[in-house]
Structures are given as C-alpha cells and as structure tokens.
Amino acid sequence: MSISEDGGSMRQAEPVGDESAAARSGGRSFGRIAFASLIGTLIDGYDFVLYSVAAALVFPKVFFPSLGGAAGTIASLATLGVAFVARPIGALLFGHFGDRLGRKRTLIWAILGMGIGTTLMGVIPSANTIGVAAPIIIVILRAVQGLAVGGEWAGSVLFVTEHAPLRRRGLYSMFPQLGHSLPTALAPAILLLVGVLSTPETFIAWGWRVPFLASAVLVVIGLYIRLKVEETPVFAKSRERGQSGVPVLEAFKHQSWTMVRGIGVSLTTITFVYVAQSFVANYGVEHIHLSRNQVLAVSALSGLFYAVFTVLSAFISDRIGRRRMIGGAHVLGVVWGLLLFPVLNFGTFPIYAAALCVTMTIAGLAYGAVGAFLPEQFPTQYRFTAAGFSYQITGVIGGGIAPLLAPVIISSYGTTAFGVVLGVLCVFAAVCTFSLKDKTNESMDWNDPEQG
C-alpha cells in the first residue's frame, strides 16, 4: 500500500471481496453508481424535509385551520410521526426483498413510492374545500412516504458501500448521506423562492404546492439512472453462497442486541435535524417573532452546513475510524443540546441563525460516517433488513417523537427541560455507538453472523 505525501488519494491493493465491478471498470461506472445512490436519498430527503418545513409553517393553516394556532401546529407536526411509524415497517418490507431479490430491484420500487406520495400531496384540496377528508388524505400519503423511505436509505447505502473499495468505503458512502443532507438546504430554499415571488395569501393558497409537484422531475431522473446500474458484487457473491430464508428472523435471531444498539448510531443527527427544521422553525416565527422568509433563509443556510460537514465526516472516518468520528459528534451533541434553547432565547436574528448552523454542523459530523458504519455491523445475507430497521427505529424516536414532544414539554416545563431531553438522547447515542465494533478496515463480504 502507498499513500501520497500530500495527503492525496490512496493507492493500495484491496481485498478481492471489496474490489468492486465499478472500481475495475473505471470511474464512469462508479459515477453512475454514486449518482444512483445520491438521487434516491436526495428525493427522499427533499420530500421529507419539504414536508417538515411545510408542516410547521403552512399545513396548520391549510389542513388544520379550525384548530387554531397552537393546536393546529401540534396536529400538523403529529402527521410527521405517521411516516416515522411507517418507516420501520417499510424497512422490514423492502429489506426482505432487498436481501432476497437484490438491492437494485428494490430501490426502483422505493423511489416510485416516495415520488408518487409527494407529488400527490401537491394536489390535495385544502380543509376549507373538502373538510376532514383533507387531513385524512395527507396522513395516508404520509404513510406511503414512510414505507418508501424505510427501504430507500438502507438500499442506497448498501448499493454504494457494497461496490466500494475497502479503504474508501466511508468516502463512497458519503453520496447517499449527502442525498439526505442537501435537501435541508434545497427544500427551504425552494419554499423561500416561492414565498418571495408570491404574496402571503398566494403562498398559502397554492404557492406551497409547487415544490411538492416539482419532485416528479427528480423521480423520473432517479428511475432512469437506477435502471442503468448493475447489482452489487457483494450481494451477487452472497446469493451464490446461499441466502437467508426469512432475513428478519435471521437478523433478530443472531444480532438483535446489535440492532438495538444500532438505533443510537444516528440518533443525534435525526433528532437535531427534525427538531431544527420543524419545531425550531416554528419557534422562530411564534416566539422570536421572525418572519417566515427569515426562518426559511436560515433553514437553507444551516442545511448547507449540514451537507458540508456530512461530507467531511465521511471523508475523515476512513482515516480515524467511524466509531470515533460518530461518537465524538454525539458528545458534542450532549453539550449543545443543553445550550440550544438558552442561546435561541436571546431572541435576535443573527443568534438564531448561528444556533441553527451549529445544530446542523453537529448533525452532519454525526451523520456522514453512518452510511458505512451501520451496514458494516451486519452480514450480507440480512444486511438490508437489519441496518434499515435499526436506522428507521431511530427515525421514530428522533424524527417523529422528539419534534412532537418539543411543544408539549416546553409549554409545560420550559425550554430547559427539553434541552435536557436532547442531552439525554445524545448520551444514549454515544453509549450505543461506542459499544459497537469499529469495522472500518474489514471487508463487507461476509455471511457469518458470529462475526457481528
């Protein structure tokens, strides 16, 4: 093995099991694989973040107008939880077929489900037009989104990591992770653009629908790219050795404790992102009295911080180890969780902007390496199911429950109490992460559960 003196790319012999078809055939093939993983999570992330921002700033007036301000916001944010409950179910459903039939075929269905659900959201009439049917339909489509994203994340990260050379697996896994982080800037920016180009009345009436309908374009691009890529070589070799009859049963039989600990690996990231993009966005409008456009602008800016530090996290993890990278970010999260609301309560726009950027920076540091670290914990024969299920249970806690509890806890006990909740979640995340094995330098081509 040789490494350039200037810190450039590594040139080394890789284990046969991790010498991907993409690596052998050249950069063009891997570029297609990377983009195939990026576009799917980009659509998922775009749709999910778009919904989170809209749920905080738009949906209380469109779908829950009769409940009033506070109750309408709680009801709207509660619909966020519907998708997060559906996500683990989707992880098991798509995971079964992903482990049995292959990563590529399963990912095609996942991107279709996500795109259809989001596009249809853009045409739902308001509650003033069709009454109670409007929130019911939005909940159903939200569940469809959840099922699809339950399969998308695991499939995308496996698709790229199972193609990746061993020593650059963290860097390669950055692509699907970036697909989830970029939309935290993209979705608010598009909503902001629509808001600037329309009056407040027009924005609430129909302007917010434009970004939802625009996701159909991304779906068409994603489908085209995914139909052009090959199955992962690691999965192909596993299929030759023989497959698990029922992946979920095998996963719980051999590595249930690993799956439980895996829940904590991305908990800091998901909690910080969804609390910041949904509840804190609403907090900025209702309590700090910022304008909607100011909040959207800051959300877009903080999303850029999230994306940049996601890339850095993935890159650095190949050098210092993924457990150290992710665990260190969790520790930072403990401190920042306690400081977030005291800082926000200074009540000025610059401090609000800085607080969100710090929050999303820590989220990115914790997230970039997750795409390789979590799948590395499980054998090929049930990796899709086990990694996806652990990650999506995290989503229930950090993305569904935490933003919903935020207004309840703060209204009853104050912002300090919710800061303590954030700190405790980050402590749990750190304990779980440090208790797992660091397999940064080990092959992913294994089927023996005893190695887990």
Side-chain angles (χ1 to χ4, degrees):
M1 176 179 72
S2 65
I3 305 175
S4 62
E5 293 295 326
D6 61 356
S9 62
M10 294 186 175
R11 300 181 299 277
Q12 57 201 357
E14 307 290 358
V16 174
D18 282 54
E19 182 65 38
S20 69
R24 292 194 300 268
S25 61
R28 180 180 178 184
S29 180
F30 177 73
R32 188 182 299 124
I33 291 165
F35 189 69
S37 66
L38 171 65
I39 190 66
T41 54
L42 179 66
I43 294 169
D44 283 346
Y46 172 81
D47 293 347
F48 252 64
V49 174
L50 181 64
Y51 187 96
S52 299
V53 176
L57 301 180
V58 179
F59 288 178
K61 298 176 182 178
V62 175
F63 296 114
F64 305 95
S66 63
L67 297 180
T73 298
I74 292 174
S76 181
L77 292 177
T79 64
L80 284 170
V82 174
F84 285 105
V85 172
R87 282 168 69 162
I89 301 172
L92 297 179
L93 175 65
F94 284 93
H96 176 82
F97 293 107
D99 285 323
R100 294 287 297 166
L101 302 179
R103 314 326 192 188
K104 172 182 174 177
R105 199 180 309 180
T106 307
L107 283 172
I108 290 172
W109 286 104
I111 199 173
L112 273 173
M114 193 71 191
I116 291 171
T118 305
T119 303
L120 290 179
M121 282 182 182
V123 298
I124 301 174
S126 69
N128 290 332
T129 302
I130 61 172
V132 72
I136 292 175
I137 295 172
I138 202 78
V139 167
I140 292 172
L141 292 178
R142 188 66 176 154
V144 171
Q145 277 189 328
L147 289 173
V149 79
E152 174 63 43
W153 180 83
S156 290
V157 296
L158 295 195
F159 200 76
V160 72
T161 56
E162 290 183 350
H163 274 101
L166 173 63
R167 306 297 179 185
R168 295 188 290 276
R169 191 187 300 144
L171 178 62
Y172 283 27
S173 73
M174 169 267 295
F175 290 97
Q177 300 300 85
L178 187 61
H180 270 160
S181 56
L182 276 176
T184 58
L186 180 62
I190 292 177
L191 280 172
L192 174 61
L193 178 63
V194 174
V196 169
L197 296 177
S198 63
T199 65
E201 294 76 18
T202 301
F203 183 80
I204 294 297
W206 60 266
W208 65 270
R209 300 178 184 274
V210 174
F212 283 84
L213 296 173
S215 68
V217 177
L218 292 175
V219 173
V220 172
I221 296 172
L223 277 174
Y224 175 78
I225 295 297
R226 286 189 170 176
L227 289 169
K228 295 289 185 179
V229 294
E230 299 176 357
E231 184 56 82
T232 75
V234 172
F235 176 79
K237 291 182 64 177
S238 175
R239 184 162 47 190
E240 293 174 1
R241 290 192 295 260
Q243 297 171 285
S244 170
V246 183
V248 64
L249 296 182
E250 292 295 311
F252 278 102
K253 177 181 178 181
H254 296 291
Q255 286 189 278
S256 57
W257 180 228
T258 304
M259 291 169 67
V260 170
R261 289 177 291 164
I263 294 170
V265 172
S266 52
L267 185 58
T268 294
T269 293
I270 293 179
T271 301
F272 276 20
V273 167
Y274 282 97
V275 166
Q277 294 288 321
S278 57
F279 176 74
V280 174
N282 182 265
Y283 190 84
V285 173
E286 298 295 333
H287 296 274
I288 304 179
H289 306 297
L290 303 176
S291 70
R292 184 189 67 234
N293 285 349
Q294 284 180 311
V295 169
L296 288 173
V298 171
S299 295
L301 175 64
S302 67
L304 291 177
F305 277 77
Y306 181 36
V308 169
F309 283 92
T310 292
V311 173
L312 288 176
S313 172
F315 178 78
I316 295 171
S317 76
D318 279 330
R319 287 150 178 77
I320 70 171
R322 284 179 259 290
R323 182 173 62 183
R324 186 183 301 177
M325 183 72 245
I326 299 167
H330 292 325
V331 173
L332 288 176
V334 175
V335 177
W336 184 244
L338 298 174
L339 293 176
L340 174 59
F341 282 96
V343 171
L344 286 174
N345 287 336
F346 277 98
T348 66
F349 177 69
I351 291 179
Y352 176 85
L356 252 67
C357 289
V358 171
T359 302
M360 299 299 277
T361 293
I362 295 173
L365 287 173
Y367 192 56
V370 169
F373 182 73
L374 195 55
E376 286 169 344
Q377 306 300 315
F378 305 103
T380 309
Q381 63 197 47
Y382 54 75
R383 182 176 290 139
F384 198 132
T385 300
F389 184 74
S390 292
Y391 181 83
Q392 301 306 342
I393 290 294
T394 310
V396 175
I397 300 170
I401 296 176
L404 182 59
L405 286 180
V408 177
I409 293 175
I410 289 174
S411 63
S412 300
Y413 305 104
T415 55
T416 300
F418 187 67
V420 171
V421 171
L422 291 177
V424 169
L425 290 175
C426 293
V427 168
F428 175 76
V431 170
C432 289
T433 299
F434 283 119
S435 71
L436 292 168
K437 297 178 182 178
D438 193 323
K439 299 187 177 185
T440 299
N441 297 315
E442 298 181 20
S443 171
M444 291 186 74
D445 185 23
W446 57 285
N447 267 27
D448 183 6
E450 295 301 320
Q451 295 184 39

